[in-house]
Amino acid sequence: MKIVIPGGSGALGSLLDRSLTAAGHQVVVLSRRPAGPRRVGWDGRSLGAWAAEVDGSDVVVNLAGRSVNCRYTEQNRRAMMDSRVLSTRAVGQAIAAARRPPAVWLQMSTATVYAHRYDAPNDELGGRIGGGEPGAPASWGYSIDIARAWERAQAEADTPHTRRLALRTAVVLGPERGGAFDSLSWLARLGAGGPIAGGAQYVSWIHERDFVRAVEFLVARDDLTGPVNLAAPDPLPQREFMRDLRTAWGMPLALPATRWMAELGAFALRSETELLLKSRRVVPTRLLDAGFAFEHPDWPRAARDLVRRLRGR
């Protein structure tokens, strides 16, 4: 198959590129700074010569979007919104204009669209969409606005011959240097990976191998459309998540952090505490009901696998 990955020059795009190319597919990455073979330039905002890659392709996986790991200044908020909505609209326009449109369009979304909650998990069927829930600061609402606008841009595209899925993705954990797992491991090894503000907030996650396998599964299953949660079926409280990670590294002790300490740390790292404090309790009901079998369904074993692979790098 020919698979086009707009915004595929980042960590997730590189992961998909390697995996899908190794499986024998022809992969083309659309990038603002194309370099090397199978890289085509685009601006992420408007139609251009890049649309010829979409015409005649089999699959489009749109990953474009500015990182959310930043301070939520007005400028950064606008960049996060525009980079997602405008790129999604441009992909929709390219598919609509194609003489032979792709069979399926997988659009990146986020598990952050769901409400901050502890009492029950959120799934695609009955989960609560976030916004204004008790215990959630008003500033967290902008992430919900972005997620909803992101998905709406795909839903409004005029692509009747292309099946569409919105990938509500939890944090994808892999052993690459500088990634989310590497950063969490650094904290764990320093003894700083203890409970944050009590640690009751849930962490939803997915092993990188299951992320790739889920993408392949959704491409092959032509009966699935709409939002799909890409998250392991075992979200767990942050204090347990970090305890299992410390165990995998052989670090039994860790210092806890209060909410104000998390605020101070996030400010120093030019990030936001929403990434640490929001309770993301998300489960993949539609994937499981469709018969998808996770290779890494539970966190303790997944953590051991990732630690072993990170140590080997």
Side-chain angles (χ1 to χ4, degrees):
M1 293 188 296
K2 180 180 179 181
I3 301 173
V4 180
I5 309 179
S9 57
L12 281 187
S14 298
L15 170 65
L16 281 180
D17 185 9
R18 291 193 305 270
S19 302
L20 297 173
T21 299
H25 301 296
Q26 177 191 357
V27 177
V28 175
V29 171
L30 304 184
S31 172
R32 289 182 176 84
R33 293 177 292 276
R38 300 183 293 104
R39 300 295 190 270
V40 174
W42 81 324
D43 65 1
R45 304 172 67 91
S46 55
L47 283 177
W50 61 267
E53 299 293 342
V54 172
D55 195 348
S57 67
D58 300 289
V59 180
V60 172
V61 186
N62 183 23
L63 304 178
R66 187 204 189 284
S67 172
V68 299
N69 188 15
C70 62
R71 297 297 290 179
Y72 291 174
T73 64
E74 184 59 35
Q75 181 180 2
N76 286 340
R77 287 179 175 183
R78 176 50 54 190
M80 288 188 288
M81 177 73 83
D82 287 350
S83 64
R84 285 160 175 74
V85 172
L86 297 181
S87 63
T88 302
R89 287 176 182 167
V91 169
Q93 290 166 0
I95 293 173
R99 289 171 296 178
R100 189 171 79 80
V104 58
W105 170 13
L106 279 67
Q107 172 61 49
M108 180 58 78
S109 182
T110 173
T112 296
V113 73
Y114 292 110
H116 166 76
R117 66 189 301 190
Y118 304 93
D119 59 329
N122 286 310
D123 71 1
E124 308 94 332
L125 308 178
R128 297 180 195 160
I129 301 301
E133 61 268 29
S139 60
W140 294 4
Y142 196 76
S143 296
I144 307 298
D145 294 342
I146 290 174
R148 297 180 76 167
W150 206 2
E151 293 189 6
R152 189 164 56 248
Q154 185 194 34
E156 291 175 349
D158 183 17
T159 58
H161 305 296
T162 298
R163 181 167 58 95
R164 291 174 286 188
L165 297 111
L167 310 180
R168 292 178 175 172
T169 308
V171 60
V172 181
L173 298 177
E176 74 278 0
R177 294 292 182 183
F181 183 75
D182 189 23
S183 298
L184 292 169
S185 292
W186 180 74
L187 290 174
R189 290 185 308 230
L190 284 177
I196 298 176
Q201 65 274 27
Y202 276 78
V203 177
S204 287
W205 59 277
I206 186 169
H207 190 288
E208 67 168 21
R209 175 60 186 153
D210 283 326
F211 173 79
V212 173
R213 292 179 60 249
V215 167
E216 295 172 327
F217 181 86
L218 292 170
V219 168
R221 283 292 299 262
D222 60 9
D223 57 328
L224 295 175
T225 62
V228 178
N229 292 347
L230 267 56
D234 183 33
L236 65 172
Q238 184 266 343
R239 57 176 172 262
E240 296 177 22
F241 180 89
M242 291 304 297
R243 180 198 63 200
D244 293 338
L245 179 56
R246 294 195 309 273
T247 299
W249 280 108
M251 173 61 72
L253 301 175
L255 297 173
T258 62
R259 179 180 287 267
W260 73 263
M261 291 168 68
E263 293 278 2
L264 186 61
F267 180 81
L269 294 172
R270 305 302 299 159
S271 186
E272 289 285 341
T273 55
E274 179 184 359
L275 303 176
L276 301 173
L277 300 179
K278 181 172 180 176
S279 185
R280 296 172 173 85
R281 192 175 180 183
V282 179
V283 293
T285 296
R286 295 195 70 201
L287 273 179
L288 295 174
D289 286 352
F292 182 77
F294 283 82
E295 285 185 0
H296 301 278
D298 65 273
W299 175 236
R301 284 187 292 178
R304 290 195 295 272
D305 173 76
L306 292 170
V307 166
R308 175 184 57 80
R309 293 170 61 200
L310 184 57
R311 276 177 166 155
R313 296 220 163 189

